[in-house]
Amino acid sequence: SLACAEAEQCGACTALKLNPNRFLVLPGDYECMNGSDDSKICLELVENIHKKGSCPFSRLAVATLDRAEVSSGQDKETGEIILRKGSDGPSPGLNQFWDYSHQIFLPWPYAHMLNGGRVRSIQLNQLPESSDTPIPSNESKIDFTMIRNWISLCRIYHGEECNKAKLQEHEISHPSNEIPSFRVIDVVENCLVGDVGTCDYITLSYVWGQVEVLRTLKSNVNILSRPGALELPEFQEKIPWTVRDAMRVTKEIGFRYLWIDSLCIIQDDDTGEKTEAISKMDLVYGAAFLVILAVMGQNANSGLPSVRLVNRDFQKLNETNPSNLPQTFKPHPIDPMRDRVYYSRGWTFQEQFFARRELIFNGNQALFTCSFDHDVQEKVVFDHNVPNVIFRPRRKEGTEDISKFEELIRNYTMRDLTYESDIHNAFAGIARYISSGLRTSLCHGIPRAFFDWMLLWIHLEPLRRREKAPSWSWSGWVGRSWPHIWQWYHANIQKVRMAQRKRTWTIWYERIAHESSECIRICEDTYSSKEGLKTLKNASGIHLDSAQTIPTSRKLTKAPDYYKPPSADSHNSGSGFLQFWTISVTFFLDSPVSVERKDVPQNDNPRIAIYGRSGQELGIVFLAESWRSLHVPGKQEFILLCEGRDERAEDGKEDEEEGWKYMVMLIEWHGEWAERVSVGSIGKCDLLEALDQGPVWKEIVLG
């Protein structure tokens, strides 16, 4: 509770005249909501609310905002609290839930920050009678009858639509057809079983954490396959609570089979069975009838809230104003989940997004979602006889939009991994999906058919090098990477394919192994390098002998071994070291004289300028502080990657020459090979500004 004994409202809140009648939407009121000047009410500055602390309504408004933003010492960066009038009321039917009648006034606070940003907030419900969320059964336990009702409605009314995974527009194959070792837990017989055909099964998505869990090993798989094995004391006491609860949920909602990674994959397998299963997690989670999401737990022993007699994790914020009107922050049921460990973990990313139905245990209540765009909660009861329980089908994404694939990479790189060696394993299912959607395989996370432009991913925040993955790929760095072809050129996949033929020239090869001189082409269907190279020479005015494009024979003696992607991620996966010919130039790095633009995404890394022989600033690169402090100011080597843009052209003129630049990669040599430091851009005439001997056609080994 946020209640204060000396509750005194500020002037703005006093003017609201808060009383029960004020929360009724009367005829004519709706017109003053939703966007008009009268729909917004200015309260106090966040800083003043913290200092005074006496107005209960203002305190509650601040408490509902994203506290990570508001209370982390950045209050002076935050402007005043704005209250926007919203409304709520009953809908004509669940298939028209967006078309509700406006009966109740709902205040929605947000904060305008001085830098122009907005602090996120959650919808408030100030009605006195709504201070508690009604649970249709014992408040301490989940109502499984209601969950079975949700599943029954989905089966009856949604048909085959809900048999499609979220990220796959087609009905996917049952994993037993593609994974010979596929096994599940029989929650009736309490043992592992294989050869169950195309049965319906449930999967569990959860956080292992740093706890010991019962794992299937080569030494115990036969014992665990005997009926009753999981009830034996030597095994049962090692089964973590989240797994035990998931087994009970599976049985309670009318299913027999459950798939859990720790038990259904032999964890110490060395025959390739484990690798094959990991590489096809999209099938395992995408074909499951339902995925249980244990989103509240810190580890596998946290359990599923309310499956057993345990308290629900639900925080309520209450205030009382001078008129004794209770005021309550009622969060959306999804809100308690957003800061949970579950949503920060790399493995759970693909597990959730391949699910076609989800049963979410969020600590407040259980939620059920499926392919129809509507979440149902424990407090919502539906009847089979109601014809409008069909809901609204989820909006389908375009199949020719490259941004959805780039967004998957960006979101995955924001997740954490306990073991860095899992960087490719935890992405394997997503990699298969990207490969299918873009019709090309991946090379250490980079789609081969879009290799040149996908190398132009950037980082807006400081990254840390992942030493056992290639630096040219996002997989070689810890932190958020941002591939963004959709932003600086276009989102249409076919348009991107055609543009690359004109604006790229490098023939990329990957080395098979350090002790071998053999190299393989990154993409056999390489765009016309001759056309791109001819354009390069004509535009830059340089004259180079660029006839050599085949890698020379060489072996690497002290190069590191990189993590190998699962077989489904890459076609003929090599060592992760690239060997290719391109133009090398030397420029000088120093502090910039130009001013950083405010209309582009802000980068938290040091901003450094590229200077040529005339002393003119040619471009900008963003560098890690640790690297900058050692190498700037100073001369550094860049290699030309391709043509690209810093931003998309207006009015559909992205293919006109204006705005196209040479995209360059700053590299650092480590003896026989180099690594990526950062990427930037220079003008097409700036090659003549290169220092020392000028532009050079050079062979590069890039790790």
Side-chain angles (χ1 to χ4, degrees), residues 470-506:
S471 67
W472 46 265
S473 169
W474 53 264
S475 65
W477 301 84
V478 179
R480 182 175 63 168
S481 302
W482 192 29
H484 59 309
I485 297 173
W486 66 270
Q487 187 192 53
W488 58 261
Y489 177 64
H490 204 279
N492 183 269
I493 292 173
Q494 292 305 317
K495 189 174 177 68
V496 172
R497 284 182 184 271
M498 295 300 296
Q500 283 191 133
R501 294 180 178 178
K502 178 181 179 182
R503 309 221 178 245
T504 59
W505 54 83
T506 304

Side-chain angles (χ1 to χ4, degrees), residues 16 22 28-43 57 81-87 105-110 112 118:
L16 292 175
R22 290 282 290 169
D29 287 346
Y30 177 63
E31 286 71 20
C32 70
M33 299 180 183
N34 303 301
S36 68
D37 292 338
D38 292 336
S39 70
K40 300 176 182 178
I41 302 170
C42 298
L43 299 182
F57 192 82
I81 298 292
I82 309 294
L83 200 67
R84 182 171 65 82
K85 294 181 180 179
S87 61
F105 161 50
L106 292 180
W108 192 321
Y110 61 92
H112 266 306
R118 177 180 291 189

Side-chain angles (χ1 to χ4, degrees), residues 240-377:
W241 279 110
T242 302
V243 173
R244 296 190 205 187
D245 290 346
M247 292 173 66
R248 179 181 174 186
V249 169
T250 300
K251 185 184 296 186
E252 291 277 5
I253 63 177
F255 289 82
R256 180 165 185 166
Y257 299 117
L258 171 68
W259 188 95
I260 296 178
D261 51 5
S262 58
L263 291 173
C264 297
I265 298 176
I266 298 178
Q267 298 298 312
D268 60 349
D269 170 73
D270 55 8
T271 66
E273 174 185 311
K274 180 179 178 180
T275 299
E276 181 180 34
I278 287 175
S279 71
K280 296 178 179 178
M281 285 294 99
D282 54 326
L283 298 183
V284 173
Y285 283 89
F289 182 87
L290 177 146
V291 177
I292 297 172
L293 270 60
V295 303
M296 301 300 286
Q298 299 289 323
N299 55 54
N301 268 328
S302 300
L304 299 177
S306 306
V307 172
R308 288 167 286 113
L309 288 175
V310 293
N311 292 329
R312 299 193 180 208
D313 181 9
F314 178 48
Q315 180 183 11
K316 294 185 292 186
L317 303 177
N318 302 313
E319 284 280 10
T320 302
N321 72 357
S323 302
N324 292 319
L325 175 67
Q327 302 166 353
T328 300
F329 164 48
K330 177 185 174 184
H332 187 279
I334 296 295
D335 178 55
M337 303 188 288
R338 68 180 184 180
D339 295 324
R340 298 294 175 173
V341 173
Y342 178 91
Y343 289 99
S344 70
R345 306 306 297 169
W347 279 101
T348 60
F349 178 67
Q350 63 180 358
E351 295 169 2
Q352 179 190 9
F353 281 99
F354 280 122
R356 48 187 178 180
R357 301 175 188 86
E358 300 171 356
L359 181 59
I360 307 171
F361 289 85
N362 73 346
N364 172 12
Q365 56 186 322
L367 294 90
F368 174 79
T369 69
C370 62
S371 294
F372 281 66
D373 195 13
H374 193 68
D375 300 335
V376 291
Q377 312 158 27

